[in-house]
Amino acid sequence: MKHAQRNTLGWIAVTVVLFLVLLLVGMFLRAVQANQLDAAQGWFYPMMTLHGVGMAGLWWVGAMACASRVLARYVEPSEKVSSFAMLGTVAGVVLLLVSVFLGRFAAGWYFLYPLPLKGTWPRWSTVVFLASLTVLAVTWLVWVLDLLRAIAKKFPLTRALGWHYITGAEGPEVPPVVLITTVSLIAAIACLVSGAATVVFFVLELFTGTGSDPLLMKNLTFLFGHLLVNLSLYLAVGVIYDVLPTYTGRPWKANRVVAVAWNVVLWVVLFAYFHHLYMDFAQPPAFQYLGQVASYVSSIPSAVVTVFGAVALVYRAPVRWNLTVALFFLGLMGWGIGGIGAVIDSTIAVNSVLHNTLWVPAHFHTYMIEGLVLMVLGYFYHYCQEEAPIEEDLRLHKIATCLIVVGGYGFLAMFYLSGALGVPRRFAIYPANVAHGATLSKVALGFITLFLGGLLVYARELGRRWNKARQAIHA
Amino acid sequence: MRALIILAVLLTAGTAYAEPTAGETSFQQKCVACHTVGGGRRVGPDLKGVTERRDPAWLERWIREPDRMLAEKDPVATQLLKESNQVPMPNLAVTEAEAKDLIAYMKAKSDAAAAGPATPAAPPPSPHLGEVQTVAVVLFVLLSLVVAGVFAAVARSTRLAVPTIDTKRAYAVRRVFFFVAGTVMLVLLLATLRRTPYAAARAPDRVVYVVAKQFAFFYSAEPITSDAELARAPKLDPLTFAAGSVVEFRVTSLDVNHAFGLYGPDGAVFAQTQAMPGYVNRLRVSLPKAGEYHVLCFEYCGTGHHLMQSSFTVR
Amino acid sequence: MRSLRWAAVACALVACAVTGTPPVRAESVVTAEARALHRAVPDVTISVAGGEQVKLSSLWHDKPVLITLFYQRCLGSCSPFLRSLSSTIKTVGGLGDDYRVVSVSFDPEDTPERTHELATQLGLGPGESWKVGTTSPAQLQPLMDSVGFWYRAIPGTDQVDHPSLVAMVRDGRVVRVLLGNTVSPTRFQELRLEARGTFVPFYAAPDASTRFRCLDVDPATGQLRLGWGLVVLLLPAALALALSLAVFRLARPRPAPAE
C-alpha cells in the first residue's frame, strides 16, 4: 500500500514541477514571438521542441498515473511497473534535455520526416532524441500492457469493453473507468507502435541510408501524435467518471449508451488523424473525406454521452465547489470548447485557410490547459486531500479557479484570433505581413501570467496536502 | 491579354538560353538557397555590396571554409552566425577558382543592382479576416458561448440542490440533444464535404512550378526535381500574373516538408498546400484581385522556418 | 528496303554530326515537355482523304485531341512512332471515348490520299476518331509552333530532322506533351487520365527513390493500387489488436478453485 502511495505522490510531484517548468518554456516562446527577447531568438526552435514533446509526454504520463491509481480500486496494477515507468520516463526526459540543450535539437515535437536528418543541429543530437523517444515508447508500452494485464485478470475482453451492455447479455457490472481505460489502452498500443515504427525508419536511414516515403512517415507520425494526445484526454475522462460521483452523491454507471459510445470511439479515433494531412494532396481523397467524417463523428459520443452525462450529474446536485469539482467541471467545458474549435478546423474547406495557423495550437491548447490539465490537476488535489485532509478554504479555491479560467481563455483567445488573422504557427519572428502576431503574443503573455498565478495558488494548496501525505507515509 | 501572357512566358523562357557565367551557375547551385544579391535577406545576409564590405582574402576564405572559420571563432563569422539565427554557413566544397568566379559574379550583380531603380516596398496589409475565417470565428464564438452558458447555468443550479433528478427526463433531453447535434453535423458535412481543394474548378491559364528548399521558394515555368535542375532552370523572378487568371501551382520540395501558404492582397490566407519531397501537389487557385500576394512557409522546416517568405504580383 | 532505311538513318546521324546538333543545351525530357504547356493552338483545317475538311475546333469542342505530326516519305522515326502510338492506344484504350487523334503531315508535297495510304498501311484508325491528313502551309507553321514541333532539312538527302511528340489539346490549349520515339503505356495512361478530366492532384516526382510507398500507380491501368507502405500503416492497429487479445487470453480470470 505504501508503495502505491509513494508512486502516486512521485507522479504528482514530477507532473506539477515539470508543468511549471514547461509552462515557463512556453512563455519564453510567446515572449520571443512578441519581440521581447531578441537576444535569445536562437533558442526558440529548440525550446519549441522541448515544450511540445515535454507537454505531450507529460500529460500522457499524468493521465496514465491518475488512471492507474483509480483502476487500483477495482484491479491490481503492478506497483513495480509503475515505478519502472517513472524511472523510464525520467531517463527519457534526461535524454530529451541533453538533445535539446546540448545538441540544440529542433525538429519540433512531431519531428516530421526527414527534418531531423536535415537540420542545423549535429547528427548525434538527432540520435539522442530518437533514443529518448525509444526509451519513452518502450517504457510506456510496458506500462500500458501491465494495466491491460491487471484488467484482464478480472474481466474478459468482451466484458471489459462492455459488450454485454450492448447485447443485453448477462454480465458483471463494469465500472466506466475500466471500460474507458481498456478502450484507451488498446488504442495506445497502436499509438506507441506507430511511434516506434517511425523511429525504426529513422534509425534505418541513419545507419543504412535507406530512404522512406515521406507520405508514409507523415501518416505514421500523425497516427502517433494524434492518438497520444487524444488518448491522454480519454484516460482523464475515465478518471472523472469514477471520481466526480463521489462529490455529487449520484452514481455514474456504465450502460448500453456508454458502452456503444466508447466502442465507437475505439474505432473512430484511429481514423480521425487523417485531418492532419488534408493539405497533402498526395493522400488519396477517400482518406481525406474519411478524415472529416471521422473527426465529426468522434465528437458525438464525447459530447452527447460524456459531457452531457457529467452535466446531468452535476445539475442541481448538492456539490461543494472545491478545487477538484471546479477543475473537473471546467475541464469538461474546455474539452467541449476545444472540440468545437477542432471540428471547425477538421472541415476540409476551412482547413485550407486555417491549417498550421495559430488556430491549430489554439484548439489543442484549449483541450490541454483548459481540459486535460484541469482534469489531472483536479484528480491530484482529490488524491492528496483524501490521503491527508486539511480544512479547505473555498475562497482561495475560487480565486485559483477564476485566475485559471480568465488567464487561460484570454491566452487562448489570442491564439484563435491570430489563427483567423492568418498568423502561422511555429514562427520565431513574424514577417511584416503578419506583424500583428507579435502584438497578440504580448497580450497572450499578460493573460498567461494570470493563469500562472492561479496555478501557483493551486500548487500551494496541493503542496500542503502533498507534504502532509508524504510525512504520513514516512511516519 | 492572353497573347501577352504567352509572349511574356516565351520571353522569360527565351532568356534562359543566354548562357550564364560560371559564377552565376555556381551561385544558383550553392548560394541561392540562403542568399540573394540585392533581393533582401534570406537565411544569410543580402550579398549586395559584400565585395566592398569585406576584405577580399577574408571573403574568399569564408566562401571556401566557413566551418573552420567558425571553429576558430573568427569574430565576423561568429557575428554572422548570430544574425542568421544560429544557422551556420555550410562548407560546400567550393574550389579556389569557383570562389573567384562567385566573387566576380557578386560584384557584377551588386553593381547592376545599384544602377537599377529601387522599388519601394509596399506597405504590409492591415490584419484582415477572410470570408471562411469569419464564418469559422463566428461559429466558434457562438457555439462556445452556448457551451459556456450551459455549464454556467448548471453550476448555478447546484445552489438549489435536490438529491436526485428524474433520469427519464434527462434521457429524453439527451435524445433531443443527440438528434439536434447529429442533424447539425450531417448538414455541415453535406454542405462542406464537396468544397475541397482537390478537384479543380477549371483549367488553369498558367502553370507555375514551385520548389521549396530550406529556406526559400523558387518559381519556374519548368518542373524542378533536383538541385541540378534548380541551378539550371530559369526562375520566374519577379513572378507576376494577370488579374482574373486561374493558376496551377505545382508544389514540391527538394529537402524537408514545407508548405506553400498563400495570402491575398487583403492580407488573409486563402489557400495552401504542402510541399513534400518526392511528391508534387497541384494547387489551383484563381487570382481575381490585383495586388501583392504573400507566401509564407506553413510547415515547420527547421531553424530558418520564419525566414521562408516570398511574394508575387497580380496586375 | 530495310538496309535502305538503316543507310538513311546513318546518313542522318552523320549529317547531324557535321552540322552540329542545334538545341542549345541538353535538357531533360520533362523540361522540354513542359515548354509548350498551355499554349493556344490555332484552329486549323485538316484535309482528309475523300475531300472531308475537319476544323480542329469541331473535334476539341467535346473531347480532347491528341495531335501528332509526321510526313509520308520519312525513313526514320515517323512510321515506328505512329505504330507505337497505335499499339499503346490499343493497350490503354479510350480512343473515341476520352479523346480523338489527329495526325497531320508537315510535308507540303503530301496529299490527303498519300497520308491515307500510310494510315492504312500502319493500321491507324478507326477513321472517325483518328483523322489523318494535311493542312495548308500557312496554317502549318502556327500549329507546329504551338505544340513545340520543328523540323530542319538534312543536307544532301530528302529527309528532315524532327522530334516525335504527342500533344494533348483541350479547349484549344496544350495540356500535356509526350516526347520520344516510342509512347510508353505508363505515360500515356497519365495522359488519358488528364483527357478524361480526372484531376490528379499529385504526381510522384520522377526520380524519387523511396520504398514502402502507401500507394503506387499501376502502369498498365493507371489505377492506384495499394503499396507495402499501407501494410506498414495498418501494422500499429493490427499489433494493438493482437497484443490486446494475447494479454486478455494469458491473464484471463480463472475460475476460483472449488471451496
Side-chain angles (χ1 to χ4, degrees):
Chain A
M1 195 59 205
K2 273 191 176 172
H3 193 169
Q5 287 161 333
R6 237 194 334 264
N7 269 337
T8 307
L9 290 178
W11 280 118
I12 291 174
V14 167
T15 310
V16 173
V17 169
L18 277 182
F19 178 45
L20 281 168
V21 172
L22 291 172
L23 182 76
L24 290 174
V25 172
M27 290 175 74
F28 165 80
L29 300 180
R30 281 314 245 163
V32 173
Q33 289 177 326
N35 298 326
Q36 301 297 302
L37 285 172
D38 293 346
Q41 256 163 32
W43 280 103
F44 181 85
Y45 294 111
M47 287 302 108
M48 183 187 83
T49 306
L50 176 65
H51 177 77
V53 184
M55 286 292 198
L58 176 66
W59 294 106
W60 158 256
V61 294
M64 278 289 281
C66 296
S68 72
R69 181 53 48 235
V70 171
L71 267 188
R73 290 177 58 187
Y74 310 100
V75 301
E76 287 170 38
S78 156
E79 288 308 325
K80 279 194 188 127
V81 171
S82 178
S83 305
F84 165 78
M86 189 163 348
L87 273 180
T89 303
V90 170
V93 169
V94 169
L95 286 173
L96 174 68
L97 292 175
V98 167
S99 151
V100 169
F101 278 103
L102 300 181
R104 282 190 180 232
F105 181 81
W109 96 269
Y110 54 66
F111 54 100
L112 209 52
Y113 176 85
L115 182 56
L117 308 172
K118 295 190 172 171
T120 43
W121 45 88
R123 193 151 260 233
W124 67 259
S125 70
T126 303
V127 175
V128 173
F129 178 77
L130 293 175
S132 154
L133 287 188
T134 312
V135 169
L136 293 175
V138 171
T139 308
W140 295 344
L141 195 58
V142 171
W143 199 7
V144 163
L145 288 176
D146 178 67
L147 290 192
L148 274 180
R149 177 203 58 81
I151 294 171
K153 269 247 184 274
K154 193 93 174 274
F155 302 94
L157 184 56
T158 51
R159 297 284 183 265
L161 288 175
W163 287 1
H164 55 293
Y165 291 111
I166 301 174
T167 58
E170 286 279 306
E173 193 167 308
V174 179
V177 64
V178 170
L179 197 166
I180 296 169
T181 312
T182 308
V183 165
S184 308
L185 294 177
I186 293 175
I189 300 177
C191 161
L192 295 173
V193 168
S194 57
T198 318
V199 172
V200 166
F201 280 120
F202 269 112
V203 170
L204 218 68
E205 176 144 356
L206 265 175
F207 294 106
T208 70
T210 310
S212 302
D213 179 359
L215 184 60
L216 172 62
M217 291 295 267
K218 231 180 211 175
N219 274 286
L220 283 174
T221 303
F222 286 116
L223 179 58
F224 161 69
H226 181 88
L227 277 179
L228 188 74
V229 175
N230 224 319
L231 297 179
S232 308
L233 250 165
Y234 292 160
L235 287 171
V237 168
V239 168
I240 291 190
Y241 264 91
D242 206 70
V243 178
L244 194 53
T246 59
Y247 287 87
T248 62
R250 295 173 187 164
W252 198 359
K253 293 216 166 82
N255 53 34
R256 178 180 285 180
V257 175
V258 170
V260 169
W262 285 96
N263 277 280
V264 167
V265 161
L266 175 58
W267 289 103
V268 172
V269 74
L270 292 175
F271 298 104
Y273 87 89
F274 285 140
H275 63 225
H276 292 267
L277 284 101
Y278 287 155
M279 292 303 116
D280 282 293
F281 298 175
Q283 183 90 334
F287 286 14
Q288 313 286 31
Y289 299 126
L290 187 62
Q292 183 172 340
V293 173
S295 307
Y296 272 57
V297 168
S298 69
S299 67
I300 290 272
S302 35
V304 174
V305 180
T306 303
V307 175
F308 185 89
V311 163
L313 200 67
V314 176
Y315 180 71
R316 299 196 70 181
V319 177
R320 238 183 112 250
W321 288 91
N322 75 347
L323 268 176
T324 298
V325 184
L327 293 181
F328 277 178
F329 195 66
L330 287 169
L332 287 162
M333 183 175 95
W335 188 28
I337 292 177
I340 293 165
V343 168
I344 289 175
D345 191 36
S346 74
T347 310
I348 301 173
V350 177
N351 197 259
S352 256
V353 298
L354 289 184
H355 183 63
N356 279 353
T357 65
L358 282 174
W359 187 283
V360 178
H363 90 257
F364 71 68
H365 275 82
T366 315
Y367 277 156
M368 299 296 273
I369 67 168
E370 290 295 336
L372 175 58
V373 171
L374 302 191
M375 297 178 192
V376 171
L377 293 184
Y379 180 75
F380 284 172
Y381 178 82
H382 164 80
Y383 180 81
C384 290
Q385 173 70 5
E386 292 261 291
E387 290 291 310
I390 292 180
E391 203 181 329
E392 294 174 311
D393 179 355
L394 289 188
R395 229 189 31 195
L396 208 57
H397 289 194
K398 202 168 185 179
I399 292 173
T401 332
C402 281
L403 284 174
I404 284 175
V405 168
V406 174
Y409 281 102
F411 164 78
L412 293 169
M414 294 308 113
F415 263 162
Y416 282 109
L417 192 58
S418 303
L421 289 173
V423 181
R425 72 193 280 205
R426 298 186 166 133
F427 267 46
I429 306 161
Y430 291 119
N433 69 318
V434 286
H436 45 281
T439 317
L440 294 169
S441 302
K442 220 179 286 178
V443 181
L445 263 180
F447 277 114
I448 203 65
T449 313
L450 290 182
F451 181 93
L452 183 64
L455 189 66
L456 289 174
V457 176
Y458 164 89
R460 189 178 158 275
E461 282 291 282
L462 179 78
R464 285 170 61 206
R465 290 162 177 87
W466 185 87
N467 244 331
K468 194 176 159 197
R470 201 181 53 123
Q471 280 159 7
I473 297 175
H474 288 289
Chain B
M1 196 63 216
R2 258 193 192 162
L4 264 182
I5 303 168
I6 293 162
L7 188 68
V9 173
L10 289 178
L11 280 177
T12 359
T15 51
Y17 286 91
E19 204 58 54
T21 61
E24 185 179 353
T25 309
S26 304
F27 193 84
Q28 291 281 352
Q29 274 168 354
K30 298 189 170 169
C31 316
V32 85
C34 302
H35 297 282
T36 67
V37 183
R41 189 185 175 90
R42 276 189 182 149
V43 180
D46 186 343
L47 296 174
K48 185 177 152 191
V50 71
T51 50
E52 282 159 29
R53 272 204 303 277
R54 309 278 179 222
D55 170 58
W58 183 92
L59 185 58
E60 194 186 313
R61 180 156 181 242
W62 177 237
I63 293 172
R64 296 198 52 205
E65 45 189 37
D67 47 341
R68 283 186 58 186
M69 287 175 76
L70 280 170
E72 289 164 11
K73 301 239 182 306
D74 177 282
V76 179
T78 314
Q79 178 60 30
L80 285 172
L81 179 68
K82 206 175 148 207
E83 282 168 15
S84 66
N85 209 20
Q86 302 296 331
V87 181
M89 172 144 146
N91 185 331
L92 292 165
V94 178
T95 62
E96 193 182 335
E98 208 178 345
K100 292 217 155 61
D101 288 341
L102 279 170
I103 292 171
Y105 169 73
M106 288 187 280
K107 185 166 185 337
K109 188 90 200 273
S110 300
D111 294 347
T119 44
S126 51
H128 178 80
L129 278 182
E131 253 174 63
V132 180
Q133 287 94 328
T134 310
V135 174
V137 168
V138 169
L139 210 61
F140 174 70
V141 170
L142 284 181
L143 289 174
S144 300
L145 285 179
V146 170
V147 171
V150 169
F151 271 78
V154 169
R156 249 175 170 335
S157 76
T158 59
R159 291 180 190 171
L160 296 166
V162 287
T164 50
I165 51 166
D166 184 356
T167 10
K168 273 219 179 92
R169 249 194 83 204
Y171 284 159
V173 173
R174 184 170 71 184
R175 243 190 324 273
V176 172
F177 180 39
F178 175 77
F179 280 112
V180 170
T183 315
V184 168
M185 193 148 289
L186 216 67
V187 168
L188 281 179
L189 266 179
L190 289 176
T192 58
L193 257 185
R194 285 177 310 163
R195 297 188 49 180
T196 64
Y198 316 126
R202 80 170 163 97
D205 303 306
R206 225 178 126 183
V207 172
V208 170
Y209 291 85
V210 182
V211 154
K213 189 171 190 270
Q214 285 171 332
F215 297 102
F217 291 105
F218 302 95
Y219 306 102
S220 175
E222 299 175 0
I224 294 171
T225 54
S226 65
D227 284 333
E229 279 180 9
L230 176 62
R232 214 169 43 219
K235 316 285 183 305
L236 297 171
D237 186 21
L239 181 62
T240 51
F241 297 103
S245 52
V246 172
V247 179
E248 177 173 319
F249 290 102
R250 298 192 171 178
V251 186
T252 191
S253 160
L254 290 183
D255 41 37
V256 301
N257 283 285
H258 303 273
F260 184 68
L262 280 175
Y263 291 79
D266 58 1
V269 179
F270 72 97
Q272 62 173 304
T273 188
Q274 292 266 317
M276 208 199 294
Y279 292 88
V280 180
N281 289 335
R282 297 166 57 176
L283 176 69
R284 284 188 186 177
V285 290
S286 70
L287 305 170
K289 278 176 278 179
E292 188 76 359
Y293 286 65
H294 289 273
V295 179
L296 293 182
C297 180
F298 264 37
E299 185 61 74
Y300 176 60
C301 60
T303 40
H305 175 51
H306 58 282
L307 301 167
M308 213 163 147
Q309 312 162 20
S310 176
S311 64
F312 57 83
T313 315
V314 172
R315 48 169 84 98
Chain C
M1 185 64 205
R2 197 174 195 161
S3 57
L4 194 70
R5 188 169 287 172
W6 279 116
V9 171
C11 280
L13 283 175
V14 170
C16 272
V18 172
T19 52
T21 32
V24 181
R25 80 172 72 151
E27 53 181 8
S28 71
V29 170
V30 192
T31 310
E33 284 178 350
R35 197 144 270 152
L37 270 188
H38 297 285
R39 286 189 193 162
V41 175
D43 183 13
V44 303
T45 307
I46 312 291
S47 311
V48 183
E52 192 191 349
Q53 299 285 314
V54 186
K55 271 182 89 84
L56 283 183
S57 60
S58 74
L59 297 178
W60 73 45
H61 83 277
D62 64 338
K63 52 189 68 134
V65 174
L66 306 186
I67 295 178
T68 68
L69 289 125
F70 73 101
Y71 69 113
Q72 193 264 341
R73 286 176 297 125
C74 182
L75 297 171
S77 58
C78 283
S79 299
F81 170 73
L82 286 171
R83 203 173 273 137
S84 155
L85 178 63
S86 169
S87 89
T88 298
I89 284 177
K90 286 202 179 80
T91 316
V92 175
L95 179 63
D97 298 328
D98 298 334
Y99 54 85
R100 296 191 185 94
V101 184
V102 174
S103 296
V104 190
S105 162
F106 58 88
D107 183 350
E109 289 177 23
D110 276 346
T111 61
E113 284 64 36
R114 271 171 71 175
T115 60
H116 179 70
E117 257 169 52
L118 180 72
T120 319
Q121 192 187 324
L122 296 175
L124 310 183
E128 64 271 20
S129 340
W130 193 327
K131 304 286 181 198
V132 182
T134 62
T135 187
S136 69
Q139 297 189 63
L140 183 64
Q141 194 60 45
L143 176 67
M144 281 169 42
D145 290 347
S146 68
V147 297
F149 190 87
W150 51 269
Y151 69 88
R152 193 177 291 106
I154 301 172
T157 68
D158 62 346
Q159 294 289 301
V160 300
D161 182 18
H162 65 89
S164 299
L165 61 80
V166 188
M168 185 166 82
V169 178
R170 188 194 293 132
D171 300 330
R173 274 175 186 278
V174 179
V175 289
R176 191 79 187 246
V177 176
L178 296 186
L179 268 173
N181 288 344
T182 53
V183 183
S184 93
T186 320
R187 305 196 66 219
F188 193 80
Q189 181 61 46
E190 270 180 47
L191 192 109
R192 184 186 168 194
L193 286 176
E194 290 249 21
R196 272 183 185 167
T198 314
F199 179 72
V200 188
F202 80 101
Y203 54 90
D207 50 8
S209 56
T210 47
R211 52 189 63 209
F212 298 133
R213 269 184 185 276
C214 297
L215 298 140
D216 288 305
V217 176
D218 188 318
T221 63
Q223 297 302 306
L224 288 173
R225 65 178 179 198
L226 309 184
W228 284 106
L230 211 64
V231 178
V232 177
L233 198 52
L234 292 176
L235 195 73
L239 258 178
L241 195 66
L243 275 175
S244 319
L245 286 176
V247 166
F248 273 89
R249 173 136 197 92
L250 291 174
R252 69 179 177 275
R254 321 252 170 211
E259 282 162 35

